[in-house]
Amino acid sequence: MSPVLPASPSAPPTLTAAVMIDRPKSLDRDDAIGIERVEDGWRLTVYVADVAAGVTPGSTLDRAAFGRRRTEYRGSWAVHTMLPRQVEARLTLAEERPCATIAIRMHVRPDGAVGHVDVERATVRGLAALGHAEAADAVADRGHPLHEVVREAAAVSEVLLARRRRQGALALYDLLSGWATNEDGVVVRLASFERTVGYKIVQECMIAANTALASWAAGRDLPLLFRNHSAARVSAPRQTLLDDLDLAFADGSAARLEALRERTLMTLKAAEYAPFMGGHWGLNLPGYVHATSPLRRYADLVVQQIITSHLDGDGSPHDADGLLAIAESLNTGARQDREAERESRKSSAHSSARRGAAATSADYTGLDAPAFHALLKRGCKENIAGGPLVTETARRAAAGQLTSLELQLVLLVAGGPGWEPGRNASLDVVAAAPETAVSILSVHAQVNGLPPVEFTVQTIGQSPNTVFLAQASWPGGESPVQGARRSAPTKKTARHQAALSLLAQLAALPDPSLDLAQPAPVATQLPAAPDVAAADDGRSPISVLNEYQQIQIITGLTFSTDGEGPSHLPTFICTAEATHDGQAVRASATASTKASAKTAAAADLLKLVDTARAGRTS
């Protein structure tokens, strides 16, 4: 790690040379690892994105994050983010800009013991992003520009793991077969993209940082949301369980590991949050916190809000009663999630499909459509990329034998490099018949309870030289997703190409859509959709208003929506309200969908606020 650069006395230090290791194409990078060898070990620094700087406790954004609890992933793709995409993009760690962070700096001795711990604000620049497989390549390749830092990180992860094992933690990895233990000691199956040394580096460094931060807070009598864990009374003694884990991982039998997984699930209770330090049985630690994923977990954000307030010399933004209420709500939500997962796993059909999806030697060409659909559904939803399944998926896609629902599963649910052949083949098929993209997007909206895709279409020129410009966007959430604008000689064809572009954007694959009108207009700006207004700079007016609230231009922003009319032809009226400069500001709008009504009301309210601001400064 490079030396600290000169900075003003009031500014946090600016540091360089840290690496981010995450799932492929990750958009929400919470943490980075910086490391250097010192005379008696290593200086390990975990940099955590300063999300608290952009999410004020008690704000609308904070309350929304609390309601979502966490980002939900399917494979390597986040389907429900805890924070709006626009906010996430502003606060995430990134390679191309200096990033505000909270630095947890630890001295790691050669035996894996962690000595002195410092916690401070730091601005980091020169971050490098790697996938798990790329991290493994960097360790092996001496010529790789990040070889030294990733090699040292791998070395530290090994001594940290060895120390944890000696201290009685239930911790093992078998990256070759894809099995590991999680924090609680439960045996888990790793996604295909995680089965490299990159996964071990991240796990061990983050566990070390979370452990160090718990100790640091305890030494300052600073109440946090602690992560406490215990074992059931019927659980085997710790040493017996450690011996069983060693035997199962050494044997490598999938059946034996699966049986041990079920046993650990039954006998090791799930860890829970609490405003006191209750110890962590699986890690065999007196105290532990979750602090390294504030973009993805609300508990981590709360911990960071408290830490940053302490660093700034302020009182905690969360009192004891508030922390208890947050902990109870998060624990209840997690229990509900586990119950839903258990109900899903009870299905023998699901179990059979999982085994089939994971098979490494099988012939699925003779399966009928329903049987193959069951395999494909499990494989996509649980990111099980067995070679025969992916090969057969690509074959059936090319043969036109996949339904719109199945193409939606492959393109918008499955993730990880193991699925790439199937995903690429599926998008090639859609590109050859772009009208299919509209059906896939419609299915995706129905399955996930999302609003329908919106199209804007503009007509340019006179017949017979008319050109149609179309753009597809997904209006849900704070930050709509848009495909590229596409041109064609007919309105329907332009819409199909626009839908194909949006589908590729959502699938995080290269865009195969085309401009089919020659020459394609390039300078004309599309108008807004009939029911939807937008901020002057192209951002959603809802997002702009939320940002205004964050910086105290307005307060008390609320939206209320009422519906009227028959169910087949509803009308929605949304009212947006806020306080600006001590005065109540209110705007209402009517549209055929809730999302459009809310966006239009937000646009009208934004105009009123901006007009008032302009009048005040003129």
Side-chain angles (χ1 to χ4, degrees):
M1 188 173 64
S2 299
V4 177
L5 299 178
S8 64
S10 60
T14 299
L15 307 156
T16 59
V19 62
M20 304 175 289
I21 303 174
D22 216 320
R23 53 178 57 83
K25 302 175 183 177
S26 179
L27 300 176
D28 52 355
R29 297 184 182 276
D30 293 289
D31 49 69
I33 299 166
I35 191 163
E36 64 174 324
R37 273 199 180 267
V38 293
E39 185 175 347
D40 53 346
W42 296 266
R43 182 174 292 111
L44 168 64
T45 305
V46 171
Y47 301 100
V48 183
D50 189 358
V51 180
V55 184
T56 305
S59 66
T60 301
L61 190 58
D62 183 63
R63 292 196 298 271
F66 176 46
R68 296 187 183 101
R69 291 187 291 115
R70 61 185 176 86
T71 294
E72 181 182 344
Y73 295 92
R74 288 179 185 162
S76 62
W77 192 58
V79 291
H80 298 294
T81 60
M82 185 181 79
L83 294 171
R85 282 293 191 193
Q86 186 176 16
V87 176
E88 182 181 84
R90 189 172 72 247
L91 298 175
T92 185
L93 300 183
E95 294 178 290
E96 68 274 9
R97 64 172 187 263
C99 298
T101 71
I102 306 303
I104 307 167
R105 189 167 291 106
M106 299 154 275
H107 173 211
V108 181
R109 300 190 182 100
D111 65 352
V114 174
H116 184 71
V117 176
D118 279 322
V119 180
E120 62 182 4
R121 294 182 182 275
T123 299
V124 187
R125 67 180 183 183
L127 290 169
L130 295 176
H132 292 86
E134 292 172 318
D137 292 341
V139 172
D141 181 6
R142 292 178 179 273
H144 195 286
L146 296 172
H147 169 70
E148 183 176 349
V149 64
V150 183
R151 182 198 63 194
E152 294 299 337
V156 166
S157 71
E158 291 295 340
V159 300
L160 289 170
L161 173 61
R163 171 81 176 188
R164 295 201 304 115
R165 289 278 294 163
R166 290 195 302 272
Q167 297 295 106
L170 306 179
L172 277 173
Y173 302 86
D174 185 347
L175 299 176
L176 186 61
S177 62
W179 293 91
T181 52
N182 65 11
E183 285 180 354
D184 298 350
V186 174
V187 178
V188 295
R189 186 79 166 159
L190 301 179
S192 56
F193 65 86
E194 294 175 321
R195 298 173 188 178
T196 78
V197 69
Y199 177 83
K200 184 187 292 186
I201 291 172
V202 173
Q203 288 295 102
E204 292 304 316
C205 291
M206 296 310 121
I207 289 174
N210 288 328
T211 304
L213 193 60
S215 176
W216 180 88
R220 288 156 179 77
D221 197 23
L222 189 61
L224 300 177
L225 271 185
F226 290 93
R227 185 72 169 164
N228 299 332
H229 180 242
S230 60
R233 286 182 294 178
V234 297
S235 178
R238 178 182 299 277
Q239 190 56 53
T240 299
L241 191 48
L242 283 168
D243 292 342
D244 291 346
L245 283 168
D246 283 334
L247 288 172
F249 275 73
D251 180 86
S253 163
R256 187 167 187 171
L257 286 164
E258 182 64 34
L260 187 58
R261 188 183 79 86
E262 294 297 328
R263 179 175 148 203
T264 52
L265 278 171
M266 292 172 63
T267 60
L268 298 178
K269 296 180 180 179
E272 294 192 333
Y273 296 108
F276 56 86
M277 187 182 288
H280 196 291
W281 197 87
L283 295 169
N284 202 23
L285 292 170
Y288 191 69
V289 296
H290 274 167
T292 56
S293 293
L295 283 171
R296 308 175 187 182
R297 287 188 305 228
Y298 188 73
D300 301 53
L301 176 56
V302 169
V303 168
Q304 189 177 88
Q305 288 169 342
I306 297 171
I307 294 295
T308 54
S309 292
H310 176 79
L311 293 176
D312 293 341
D314 299 328
S316 174
H318 301 282
D319 60 21
D321 290 341
L323 278 178
L324 179 60
I326 291 170
E328 290 177 346
S329 179
L330 295 179
N331 294 337
T332 297
R335 282 194 293 270
Q336 292 171 345
D337 290 348
R338 291 193 298 272
E339 184 58 34
E341 178 67 16
R342 278 194 291 269
E343 289 300 316
S344 174
R345 289 184 179 277
K346 284 180 181 178
S347 168
S348 59
H350 285 185
S351 297
S352 175
R354 287 187 192 99
R355 288 192 295 271
T360 56
S361 60
D363 183 1
Y364 297 137
T365 57
L367 283 183
D368 60 20
F372 183 75
H373 177 82
L375 281 179
L376 183 63
K377 184 177 180 180
R378 284 302 100 200
C380 291
K381 286 196 169 184
E382 299 186 21
N383 196 32
I384 305 171
L389 174 61
V390 176
T391 299
E392 180 62 5
T393 298
R395 188 193 71 80
R396 294 194 184 211
Q401 296 174 353
L402 297 185
T403 66
S404 294
L405 175 58
E406 289 165 342
L407 289 169
Q408 179 262 344
L409 286 169
V410 176
L411 290 170
L412 300 181
V413 177
W419 271 107
E420 287 301 311
R423 284 161 47 76
N424 288 326
S426 295
L427 190 62
D428 287 345
V429 168
V430 180
E435 65 275 8
T436 312
V438 178
S439 299
I440 294 171
L441 293 172
S442 177
V443 166
H444 190 63
Q446 294 171 18
V447 168
N448 292 285
L450 299 171
V453 171
E454 291 185 355
F455 290 88
T456 57
V457 181
Q458 184 180 14
T459 305
I460 297 177
Q462 301 294 322
S463 179
N465 299 313
T466 304
V467 171
F468 295 91
L469 294 171
Q471 188 171 34
S473 64
W474 214 302
E478 300 290 347
S479 181
V481 180
Q482 291 185 321
R485 184 178 63 174
R486 291 301 178 218
S487 64
T490 69
K491 183 184 297 185
K492 181 181 291 186
T493 304
R495 284 167 58 95
H496 291 167
Q497 290 295 328
L500 175 60
S501 178
L502 176 60
L503 179 61
Q505 170 82 359
L506 292 168
L509 291 172
D511 187 350
S513 63
L514 301 170
D515 285 310
L516 300 178
Q518 298 296 330
V522 295
T524 306
Q525 183 67 34
L526 277 175
D531 290 334
V532 180
D536 289 342
D537 62 359
R539 292 180 295 164
S540 160
I542 300 171
S543 178
V544 176
L545 287 173
N546 281 330
E547 192 168 300
Y548 276 13
Q549 177 150 280
Q550 292 299 310
I551 59 178
Q552 301 297 309
I553 292 175
I554 61 173
T555 59
L557 176 64
T558 61
F559 294 92
S560 58
T561 305
D562 293 318
E564 59 183 33
S567 59
H568 67 283
L569 194 62
T571 297
F572 296 94
I573 304 170
C574 181
T575 300
E577 297 180 87
T579 299
H580 169 65
D581 202 18
Q583 300 294 318
V585 189
R586 185 173 183 270
S588 296
T590 302
S592 58
T593 67
K594 288 183 180 179
S596 296
K598 182 177 180 180
T599 304
D604 290 343
L605 183 66
L606 181 59
K607 289 178 183 177
L608 292 174
V609 172
D610 285 343
T611 299
R613 293 177 69 202
R616 185 179 179 186
T617 57
S618 61

